Amino acid sequence: MAETLQNPNPNISAYYQTRAAHHGVVTSDWLAQAQAAVGHDPDDLPPERSSKSNDTGKSFSVIDEFNNWRKQPDLAEAVAAVRALASVIRSSEATTMMELEIELKKASDSLKSWDTTSISLTAACDLFTRYVTRTSALEYEDFNSAKSRLIERAEKFGEISYKARKIIAMLSQDFIFDGCTILVHGFSRVVLEVLKMAAQNRKLFRVFCTEGRPDRSGLRFSNELAKLDVPVKLLIDSAVAYSMDEVDMVFVGADGVVESGGIINMMGTYQIALVAY
């Protein structure tokens, strides 16, 4: 059964891999649908049909721009989307605000359709559009001034998104005390930054990482912690309840945060929260 659940295609997103493990059935038709949903390999993507020429004469593609930002290992996918959308405004040849907003929406839709299973990507595009274009002052300015203000707001939003991880890590340090045990589920750059800063502050703690089947994100996370000389123990996902009596706190990432305050994270987060409670 374990061999049946393992996804042979590494390009399938973690969401579909988790669904495969959950349902226990993987067929060639199902994998084809999953591959179509997440898109093709970034290197094989054709230029956008609606691309514009930038100042260098080359055709601009928001997908290519997005993938260039994604090559930075410390940059989250959502922040890469924000940077790419900011470049759309900067390279736009629109002459009216209506044209610019339409162009920005098309670019946002292209990014969201690039991986329809990525909640963080969709949320970043929607938040960017709402943050950048929501200003009544634009209605009373000439277009060039309005475009400059949009670029300014876009760059500011990108900086806020990029610095948020450091701010969260700083604010989290008061919760980590010497001798505590932390359970981590999934691979979150924010959680890694929190623990990295705690290790740099010479706090003494240990970490339990769930294995995170089927993409084994917990194994990758535990390897990163090992590089920081943090004591780490890898747990199979079904051992969470057994080990919870040793745990002082649980850290997880968030692909999305809903208005009620709840979070959307990888499969298994809900049951871990119930056990922790």
Side-chain angles (χ1 to χ4, degrees):
M1 177 62 72
E3 294 180 356
T4 303
L5 297 181
Q6 188 173 5
N7 195 329
N9 193 330
N11 293 326
I12 303 300
S13 71
Y15 169 78
Y16 276 99
Q17 292 181 29
T18 307
R19 278 194 56 188
H22 177 70
H23 293 287
V25 178
V26 179
T27 65
S28 58
D29 292 340
W30 188 91
L31 287 175
Q33 293 176 5
Q35 181 64 61
V38 299
H40 302 284
D41 187 86
D43 296 332
D44 298 330
L45 286 174
E48 284 191 329
R49 297 175 183 175
S50 59
S51 61
K52 299 288 185 179
S53 298
N54 54 25
D55 295 337
T56 61
K58 297 181 180 179
S59 180
F60 177 84
S61 169
V62 66
I63 301 297
D64 291 341
E65 185 73 14
F66 170 67
N67 285 319
N68 286 334
W69 283 107
R70 285 179 68 245
K71 292 178 182 178
Q72 301 185 21
D74 294 333
L75 201 66
E77 187 177 71
V79 180
V82 169
R83 299 290 194 185
L85 290 175
S87 298
V88 171
I89 301 176
R90 192 177 297 106
S91 62
S92 174
E93 298 178 351
T95 57
T96 65
M97 282 303 304
M98 182 63 71
E99 291 179 1
L100 184 57
E101 289 185 8
I102 292 175
E103 188 173 337
L104 187 60
K105 185 180 185 305
K106 288 182 178 179
S108 176
D109 291 341
S110 296
L111 285 176
K112 288 189 286 187
S113 62
W114 183 80
D115 185 353
T116 57
T117 68
S118 176
I119 298 174
S120 60
L121 180 59
T122 299
C125 292
D126 291 342
L127 285 174
F128 178 89
T129 304
R130 292 173 60 181
Y131 178 86
V132 172
T133 60
R134 182 176 293 179
T135 169
S136 58
L138 296 178
E139 300 176 2
Y140 306 101
E141 299 177 353
D142 62 272
F143 175 73
N144 290 331
S145 299
K147 183 178 178 180
S148 298
R149 178 163 298 193
L150 282 179
I151 294 175
E152 179 182 344
R153 289 175 65 87
E155 292 177 347
K156 181 180 179 181
F157 186 78
E159 288 299 321
I160 292 174
S161 302
Y162 181 75
K163 293 179 180 178
R165 187 186 307 165
K166 290 286 187 182
I167 296 174
I168 294 173
M170 293 176 59
L171 295 176
S172 301
Q173 297 307 301
D174 292 339
F175 295 93
I176 303 177
F177 54 89
D178 286 342
C180 70
T181 299
I182 302 170
L183 174 65
V184 175
H185 181 58
F187 191 104
S188 167
R189 291 182 178 88
V190 177
V191 174
L192 182 60
E193 187 68 27
V194 170
L195 300 180
K196 180 179 179 180
M197 186 173 293
Q200 292 173 345
N201 292 335
R202 300 189 180 281
K203 292 191 176 185
L204 302 177
F205 61 95
R206 63 174 179 163
V207 178
F208 289 171
C209 288
T210 58
E211 189 178 12
R213 287 281 182 169
D215 62 349
R216 307 189 75 181
S217 56
L219 179 60
R220 294 189 291 117
F221 195 90
S222 62
N223 289 335
E224 293 296 326
L225 291 178
K227 296 176 184 178
L228 302 174
D229 293 326
V230 174
V232 57
K233 179 180 179 181
L234 193 64
L235 301 177
I236 59 175
D237 296 334
S238 57
V240 168
Y242 177 80
S243 305
M244 189 60 74
D245 61 342
E246 302 180 52
V247 175
D248 296 294
M249 63 194 77
V250 180
F251 286 172
V252 297
D255 289 330
V257 181
V258 298
E259 293 181 354
S260 65
I263 67 168
I264 302 172
N265 195 45
M266 71 174 295
M267 283 286 189
T269 302
Y270 177 66
Q271 60 198 34
I272 291 177
L274 291 178
V275 175
Y277 178 78

